[in-house]
């Protein structure tokens, strides 16, 4: 019953959402170049399914690659900031400033720096936009570790690395996954940003752009829905990883 | 009898923006092997600094700390520590929490042997059946029991405790005191207990050291003659005239340490 409810409730919610959307389009008599309705979409998927598959794959792998880099770099940066006060004081304003820059402005910069390297540019953008939350949360997680936790092992003569591996790292995992949930969405936005803005883009973003160019409005909406689905898949992949590696942090339901 | 712990003329100050803050001033403490030393003193008098010095986590400005005839200059594997916060690792089971020090001190010990040792201790403190539970599933008193097991699992010479029972309610605390005596009866260690509770210091200690207010020096040493010759000490002993006398003496000393004259404080 519980499992059934867990699956059924979100499905009913999605079905309701689609019904309201369809109803609004019908009631207002919007033509599909103003607002496509859900019933327009299957046709677009059937006609362009091979483009959806190849575009979806490109968007997916570049997002995951960018996120992977963000995890490596963000964790390393977070460790540096977590262990050294000087590094924290030095890097924090820089990071905050960098994070405040609208990433769309970086697309032409990257396009000029690495001309024609579309895959590289896209992965780079996904990375640039998503490492910040990871670096900050790992940094805070490590720097707020209570000294007693360190002392249990330090009083036995354990090395800094052992203390990090056995205590600091696992203790920071819940914060890390919290940040990763934000980062995965950001990385996805970064990928699409480059795909849509940069000329000769690829992936779902480029498919959206071609829909716009050809005034194929149902296709554009179909791409948006495909993006939403992909975003949901990525997000829940992170949730699944969190359950495996940091499930202990979850409070038992009571 | 040799002294297992010897603190000789230790003076220490912390560097603060407002200049040095002296916390220990020519402190002397000696604890014979197998004895239990309780340390009491006013709040903020440097008791926790003392635990970190004995554990080798800090070096004193002047003076010496000796354990087992060796001068302490860095942490050593023969020390166990327990704090007011049980600091159990939430991602490990109770059993794996207790095993943790063995992973550092005896990395080559077979897993089976580690588990057997941890299970033995957990049974001794009344936690059999809870080995596979997570710390969050246990009550505060049970967590502190597990923390005590962890602090002695590697058979340390010295057990250093910094107010381990301070956050527990009065009844749980008394239970834990009795557990402490049960542990002492089967585990050979020399203990230093920092506490704010005078009854605790008398019930558990062989000697009670009263520290003066900051900077702390040894103001008074009480040899505990618990009104019971054999077996584990009974709680009822605390309510005898002998204990009342010892507690009164300690109370008086604490008031002096706080800078109050004992007669003034009596109303």
């Amino acid at each position: 019953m519980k499992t059934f409810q867990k699956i059924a409730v979100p499905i009913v919610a999605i079905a309701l959402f689609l019904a309201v959307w369809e109803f609004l389009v019908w009631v207002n008599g919007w033509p599909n170049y103003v607002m496509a309705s859900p019933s327009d979409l299957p046709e677009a998927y059937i006609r362009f399914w091979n483009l959806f598959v190849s575009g979806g794959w490109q968007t997916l792998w570049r997002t995951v690659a960018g996120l992977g880099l963000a995890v490596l770099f963000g964790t390393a940066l977070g460790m540096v900031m977590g262990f050294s006060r000087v590094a924290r004081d030095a890097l924090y304003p820089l990071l905050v400033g960098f994070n405040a820059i609208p990433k769309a402005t970086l697309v032409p910069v990257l396009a000029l720096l690495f001309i024609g390297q579309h895959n590289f540019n896209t992965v780079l953008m996904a990375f640039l936009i998503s490492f910040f939350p990871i670096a900050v949360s790992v940094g805070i997680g490590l720097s707020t570790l209570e000294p007693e936790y360190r002392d249990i092992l330090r009083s036995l003569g354990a090395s800094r690395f052992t203390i990090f591996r056995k205590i600091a790292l696992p203790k920071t995992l819940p914060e890390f996954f919290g940040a990763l949930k934000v980062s995965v969405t950001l990385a996805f936005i970064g990928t699409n940003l480059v795909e849509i803005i940069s000329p000769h883009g690829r992936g779902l973003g480029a498919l959206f752009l071609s829909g716009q160019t050809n005034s194929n409005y149902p296709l554009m909406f179909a791409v948006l829905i495909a993006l939403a689905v992909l975003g949901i898949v990525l997000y829940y992949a992170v949730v699944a990883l969190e359950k495996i590696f940091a499930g202990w942090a979850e409070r038992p339901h009571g | 009898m040799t002294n297992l712990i010897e603190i000789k003329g230790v003076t220490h100050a912390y560097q603060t923006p407002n200049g040095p803050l002296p916390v220990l001033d020519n402190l002397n403490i000696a604890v014979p092997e197998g004895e239990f030393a309780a340390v009491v003193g006013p709040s903020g008098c440097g008791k926790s600094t003392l635990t970190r010095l004995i554990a080798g986590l800090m070096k004193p400005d002047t003076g010496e700390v000796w354990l087992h005839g060796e001068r302490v200059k860095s942490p050593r594997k023969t020390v166990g520590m327990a704090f007011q916060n049980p600091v159990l690792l939430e991602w490990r089971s109770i059993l794996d929490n207790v095993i943790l020090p063995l992973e550092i001190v005896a990395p080559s010990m077979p897993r089976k042997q580690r588990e057997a040792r941890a299970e033995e201790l957990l049974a001794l403190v009344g936690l059999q059946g809870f080995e596979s539970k997570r710390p969050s599933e246990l009550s505060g008193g049970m967590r502190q029991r597990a923390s005590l097991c962890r602090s002695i699992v590697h058979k340390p010479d010295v057990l250093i405790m910094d107010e381990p029972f301070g956050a527990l309610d009065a009844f749980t605390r008394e239970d834990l005191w009795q557990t402490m005596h049960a542990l002492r009866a089967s585990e050979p260690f020399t203990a230093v207990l920092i506490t704010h509770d005078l009854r605790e210091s008398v019930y558990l200690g062989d000697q009670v050291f009263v520290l003066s207010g900051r900077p702390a020096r040894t103001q008074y040493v009480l040899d505990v003659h618990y009104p019971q010759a054999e077996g584990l000490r009974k709680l009822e002993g605390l309510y005898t005239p002998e204990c009342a006398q010892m507690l009164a003496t300690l109370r008086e000393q604490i008031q002096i340490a706080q800078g109050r004259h004992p007669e003034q404080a009596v109303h």
Side-chain angles (χ1 to χ4, degrees):
Chain A
M1 183 59 206
K2 271 265 156 74
T3 2
F4 172 74
Q5 205 177 14
K6 255 187 146 168
I7 299 168
V9 167
I11 286 180
V12 169
I14 290 170
L16 267 175
F17 168 76
L18 292 176
V20 170
W21 178 5
E22 184 80 46
F23 175 77
L24 281 176
V25 173
W26 174 76
V27 138
N28 291 301
W30 285 322
N32 72 7
Y33 55 83
V34 173
M35 184 84 178
S37 64
S39 56
D40 295 331
L41 304 185
E43 196 203 329
Y45 286 125
I46 289 163
R47 231 177 108 193
F48 301 107
W49 70 272
N50 54 338
L51 291 180
F52 273 100
V53 169
S54 66
W57 167 243
Q58 280 170 340
T59 301
L60 184 66
W61 81 254
R62 290 190 294 216
T63 303
V64 171
L67 189 67
L69 285 178
V71 167
L72 293 178
F73 182 76
T75 307
L77 205 63
M79 280 167 65
V80 171
M81 291 198 298
F83 288 132
S84 153
R85 244 217 106 78
V86 179
R88 190 153 67 243
D89 292 344
L91 291 173
Y92 226 88
L94 274 174
L95 280 178
V96 173
F98 179 79
N99 193 48
I101 295 174
K103 295 299 175 297
T105 58
L106 290 183
V107 175
V109 178
L110 292 181
L112 276 176
L113 266 176
F114 309 104
I115 294 173
Q117 306 287 320
H118 181 71
N119 281 338
F120 182 78
N121 280 341
T122 315
V123 171
L124 191 63
M125 179 59 77
F127 156 69
L128 286 177
I129 204 171
S130 65
F131 76 87
F132 181 78
I134 297 175
V136 169
S137 67
V138 170
I140 289 175
L142 291 179
S143 64
T144 54
L145 186 72
E146 295 94 326
E148 286 107 326
Y149 278 96
R150 222 162 300 185
D151 285 350
I152 325 168
L153 289 190
R154 219 160 73 82
S155 63
L156 298 170
S159 67
R160 274 181 82 111
F161 177 72
T162 307
I163 296 172
F164 175 74
R165 188 168 54 90
K166 288 204 182 278
I167 294 189
L169 181 72
K171 197 159 169 48
T172 316
L173 276 181
E175 280 102 335
F176 169 81
F177 276 105
L180 195 59
K181 284 187 209 163
V182 178
S183 287
V184 69
T185 318
L186 287 176
F188 193 57
I189 291 172
T191 310
N192 283 293
L193 195 64
V194 179
E195 287 175 352
I196 294 173
I197 296 185
S198 81
H200 317 298
R202 267 172 273 172
L204 288 179
L207 192 57
F208 178 85
L209 200 63
S210 81
Q212 197 179 19
T213 320
N214 300 313
S215 304
N216 187 342
Y217 297 97
L219 174 60
M220 289 165 66
F221 278 94
V223 170
L224 291 185
I225 297 300
L227 284 174
V229 169
L230 211 51
I232 291 171
V233 168
L234 280 171
Y235 182 87
Y236 281 100
V238 173
V239 171
L241 286 175
E242 182 184 28
K243 270 231 161 70
I244 295 170
F245 291 107
W248 51 267
E250 218 172 278
R251 295 260 151 224
H253 297 287
Chain B
M1 201 174 348
T2 54
N3 287 329
L4 193 107
I5 306 171
E6 254 184 291
I7 294 165
K8 296 182 190 165
V10 163
T11 297
H12 193 78
Y14 287 109
Q15 299 306 321
T16 70
N18 304 323
L21 175 73
V23 283
L24 302 177
D25 176 28
N26 191 24
L27 186 70
N28 291 289
I29 287 178
V31 189
E33 184 161 2
E35 295 258 295
F36 198 112
V39 179
V40 297
S43 293
C45 78
K47 298 190 294 294
S48 294
T49 307
L50 180 64
T51 62
R52 297 175 62 81
L53 286 171
I54 302 172
L57 294 169
M58 273 171 48
K59 271 179 245 171
D61 292 342
T62 55
E64 294 169 4
V65 178
W66 292 71
L67 290 187
H68 237 332
E70 276 178 61
R71 186 146 173 215
V72 175
K73 289 175 177 159
S74 59
R76 45 186 53 216
K77 298 188 190 311
T78 55
V79 163
M81 286 190 100
F83 308 94
Q84 178 168 358
N85 178 351
V87 285
L88 297 175
L89 311 181
E90 285 297 331
W91 56 94
R92 285 175 172 239
S93 66
I94 291 299
L95 189 72
D96 284 339
N97 264 290
V98 175
I99 284 171
L100 181 71
L102 293 175
E103 294 174 10
I104 310 296
V105 172
S108 57
M109 187 190 255
R111 167 105 199 148
K112 277 257 175 285
Q113 212 174 320
R114 287 182 194 165
E115 284 181 4
R117 166 72 179 148
E119 280 165 4
E120 170 200 358
L121 282 177
L122 285 170
L124 202 55
V125 301
L127 281 181
Q128 66 267 62
F130 292 90
E131 290 87 352
S132 58
K133 295 265 191 257
R134 299 271 175 186
S136 56
E137 297 174 271
L138 267 58
S139 69
M142 290 163 118
R143 274 186 249 187
Q144 199 51 266
R145 285 170 200 271
S147 170
L148 284 177
C149 289
R150 181 181 60 193
S151 65
I152 56 172
V153 71
H154 53 300
K155 297 188 192 278
D157 294 336
V158 180
L159 173 58
I160 307 166
M161 292 169 283
D162 193 351
E163 299 197 46
F165 316 122
L168 304 173
D169 67 79
F171 299 124
T172 310
R173 192 179 308 168
E174 289 180 353
D175 280 348
L176 268 276
W177 292 350
Q178 284 163 307
T179 303
M180 198 69 234
H181 274 304
L183 284 176
R184 270 192 81 188
S186 60
E187 297 284 324
F189 54 74
T190 307
V192 176
L193 169 76
I194 308 285
T195 178
H196 273 121
D197 186 333
L198 298 181
R199 291 166 69 239
E200 180 172 305
S201 72
V202 168
Y203 181 61
L204 291 177
D206 297 313
Q207 279 180 298
V208 181
F209 293 84
V210 180
L211 302 191
S212 68
R214 200 169 60 213
R217 39 180 190 77
T218 320
Q219 176 180 302
Y220 186 82
V221 184
L222 176 85
D223 282 312
V224 178
H225 297 289
Y226 204 77
Q228 183 181 338
E230 276 171 33
L232 300 188
R233 288 182 188 178
K234 292 199 172 66
L235 266 175
E236 292 76 45
L238 279 176
Y239 303 98
T240 57
E242 293 97 314
C243 275
Q245 182 58 48
M246 285 190 281
L247 287 168
T249 309
L250 287 174
R251 224 181 115 57
E252 201 174 300
Q253 289 297 328
I254 289 286
Q255 281 170 349
I256 295 170
Q258 287 170 328
R260 267 181 275 174
H261 201 266
E263 280 79 39
Q264 282 176 338
V266 177
H267 293 285

